[in-house]
Amino acid sequence: MAGQRREFLRLLTSALGTAIGLLAAVPGLRFLAYPLRERTVWGGEEPIRVAALAELEPGQPLRVSVVGTRRDGWLRLDGIKLGACWLVRDVDGRVRAFSTVCPHLGCGIDWSPNSKRFDCPCHGSSFDADGRRVAGPSPRDMDELEVKLAGQDVKVLYRRFRVSTPKKEPLG
């Protein structure tokens, strides 16, 4: 009888110890897994201020950096460069934004003031001032980004798009 009682108490103690250990482990595991559950890059949901309207001259594209916030694990980093875009102001005052990423293979697109075109120096794709493909292997026009004017601020809804496809498909 005493042996059965000891065995029962040993099993009860082991079960209670295991239950308490599991209860303590769950918050610890949730803490360690936090970066896996949460989004780490912020800045693409809302338009981001990239320039002042006064900085844009009609017919002169302006390359601007798009700076946002990054959350990495438990750390928040402000002022992280998400990418860049070309701002183009028409003579009628309309502002457009184009991604600097070439739709062909993702190279950087530059503005050539001599030819008044956007050129990809790597593979020869070329685009006019309105972002339309003029030459080269690019499967589509330059990727246009949504622009919002807020007073004298130019804001861009920055996105990245899949390269090497004829259809403009957002990533993520």
Side-chain angles (χ1 to χ4, degrees), residues 54-169:
E55 295 176 56
L56 302 177
E57 295 179 33
Q60 288 289 352
L62 176 68
R63 184 184 174 113
V64 294
S65 294
V66 180
V67 178
T69 299
R70 180 176 174 86
R71 290 189 179 163
D72 190 5
W74 300 272
L75 184 64
R76 176 185 161 147
L77 302 169
D78 291 320
I80 301 299
K81 185 175 178 181
L82 302 175
C85 64
W86 285 103
L87 297 178
V88 179
R89 186 174 188 178
D90 297 340
V91 289
D92 62 353
R94 186 177 121 190
V95 178
R96 299 174 72 190
F98 298 102
S99 174
T100 59
V101 178
C102 182
H104 176 230
L105 292 177
C107 305
I109 297 175
D110 294 321
W111 171 252
S112 174
N114 296 335
S115 65
K116 303 269 190 224
R117 296 192 327 189
F118 292 103
D119 295 315
C120 176
C122 302
H123 304 104
S125 290
S126 190
F127 309 88
D128 66 15
D130 290 326
R132 289 186 298 265
R133 187 176 76 85
V134 175
S138 178
R140 63 179 185 266
D141 297 340
M142 289 176 72
D143 296 322
E144 188 166 357
L145 305 169
E146 186 178 331
V147 174
K148 302 261 186 200
L149 297 178
Q152 293 300 309
D153 291 336
V154 178
K155 295 183 174 187
V156 172
L157 187 61
Y158 186 74
R159 297 271 189 264
R160 300 282 308 231
F161 300 94
R162 188 171 314 283
V163 296
S164 299
T165 62
K167 186 178 175 191
K168 182 178 165 182
E169 299 174 29

Side-chain angles (χ1 to χ4, degrees), residues 30-72:
R30 289 189 72 204
F31 176 76
L32 292 174
Y34 172 78
L36 300 175
R37 295 188 325 255
E38 296 296 320
R39 198 174 72 215
T40 57
V41 177
W42 299 78
E45 302 75 34
E46 295 292 323
I48 299 171
R49 184 195 182 280
V50 293
L53 192 56
E55 295 176 56
L56 302 177
E57 295 179 33
Q60 288 289 352
L62 176 68
R63 184 184 174 113
V64 294
S65 294
V66 180
V67 178
T69 299
R70 180 176 174 86
R71 290 189 179 163
D72 190 5

